[in-house]
Amino acid sequence: MGKVTIIDHPLIKHKISLLRDENTGTRDFRILVEEIAMLMGYEALRDLPTELVSVKTPITTADVPMLAGKKLAVVPILRAGLGMVNGILALVPSAKVGHIGLYRDEVTHEPHEYFCKLPENIDERLVILPDPMLATGGSAITAVDFIKQRGCSHIKFMCVIAAPEGLEALQKAHPDIDIYVGSLDEKLNENAYIVPGLGDAGDRIFGTK
């Protein structure tokens, strides 16, 4: 069974509060999302396996722990998920990067795929799936479906903020994945936006309307 981790850290809380402010501009918003992703990644990657490697220090030779070379992929949900990629890559620069493109129908709020490109041997990799917002859960559920259809079974979903409805839907559809949440918000409104939320993450990251 997967686990849900609401990351209770004062730095993440502070940075998410800055994201919520409607006066936070595109540049600062983008930087904050990247910083939050790196802080969340520190927690999400806590269980990466290590192995002892012989290293010659200035004093002696020692067997020290290093990452065991487990294949890792970061697969953001376009477009807002792109804003979290560099924060994760700052921790694991050798990770491969894929992309899943989804858009939400403005009437039905259902997700539709328009692009999917994944690294080779995705079935052998730990996949980190970032998206700043988990609202209805539809996009996240669809993205996990795509990855699982390609044989991948080790998936961790990361979001900056989540609505209870979306978190419940994702857990119900994919109870085997780990979910990392920066802030669990109050609810969805009638337009399927998270309350209090931070608006449209993609528009605020890229400066679009």
Side-chain angles (χ1 to χ4, degrees):
M1 290 292 291
K3 63 183 179 183
V4 175
T5 302
I6 312 295
I7 301 180
D8 185 23
H9 194 290
L11 283 176
I12 290 179
K13 289 180 178 179
H14 175 77
K15 291 176 186 295
I16 291 176
S17 295
L18 293 174
L19 285 183
R20 296 188 193 278
D21 189 339
E22 64 177 9
N23 293 316
T24 298
T26 299
R27 175 185 176 275
D28 290 339
F29 193 95
R30 188 182 299 139
I31 291 170
L32 285 164
V33 168
E34 186 173 315
E35 291 174 342
I36 291 166
M38 183 167 63
L39 291 168
M40 293 184 67
Y42 179 82
E43 182 64 33
L45 300 173
R46 179 179 292 276
D47 59 354
L48 284 180
T50 60
E51 60 186 357
L52 293 179
V53 175
S54 181
V55 171
K56 190 176 187 304
T57 78
I59 309 301
T60 186
T61 299
D63 291 333
V64 296
M66 298 187 76
L67 291 179
K70 182 174 179 62
K71 294 179 179 178
L72 183 69
V74 183
V75 183
I77 299 175
L78 302 178
R79 15 175 220 150
L82 286 173
M84 299 177 71
V85 172
N86 284 343
I88 301 168
L89 291 180
L91 300 175
V92 279
S94 62
K96 304 298 184 185
V97 179
H99 300 89
I100 293 179
L102 300 170
Y103 69 91
R104 187 170 71 163
D105 188 290
E106 293 184 0
V107 176
T108 66
H109 306 304
E110 291 296 314
H112 300 278
E113 176 195 2
Y114 65 87
F115 184 78
C116 184
K117 181 77 170 179
L118 300 177
E120 291 182 354
N121 308 120
I122 194 71
D123 56 320
E124 300 174 8
R125 300 179 185 273
L126 162 62
V127 172
I128 306 295
L129 188 67
D131 194 3
M133 318 286 284
L134 180 61
T136 63
S139 294
I141 291 168
T142 302
V144 175
D145 284 339
F146 290 156
I147 295 170
K148 283 185 173 180
Q149 287 165 10
R150 288 157 174 81
C152 184
S153 59
H154 195 186
I155 301 167
K156 297 190 177 194
F157 178 82
M158 284 175 48
C159 65
V160 176
I161 64 172
E165 297 92 331
L167 182 58
E168 181 181 356
L170 181 56
Q171 280 186 283
K172 183 177 180 180
H174 296 290
D176 55 328
I177 73 168
D178 292 337
I179 304 171
Y180 294 84
V181 179
S183 174
L184 185 60
D185 276 22
E186 181 185 339
K187 63 179 181 180
L188 290 178
N189 66 15
E190 63 276 7
N191 295 316
Y193 277 95
I194 301 173
V195 177
L198 46 76
D200 187 296
D203 284 343
R204 297 193 67 188
I205 289 169
F206 297 109
T208 54
K209 292 288 187 181

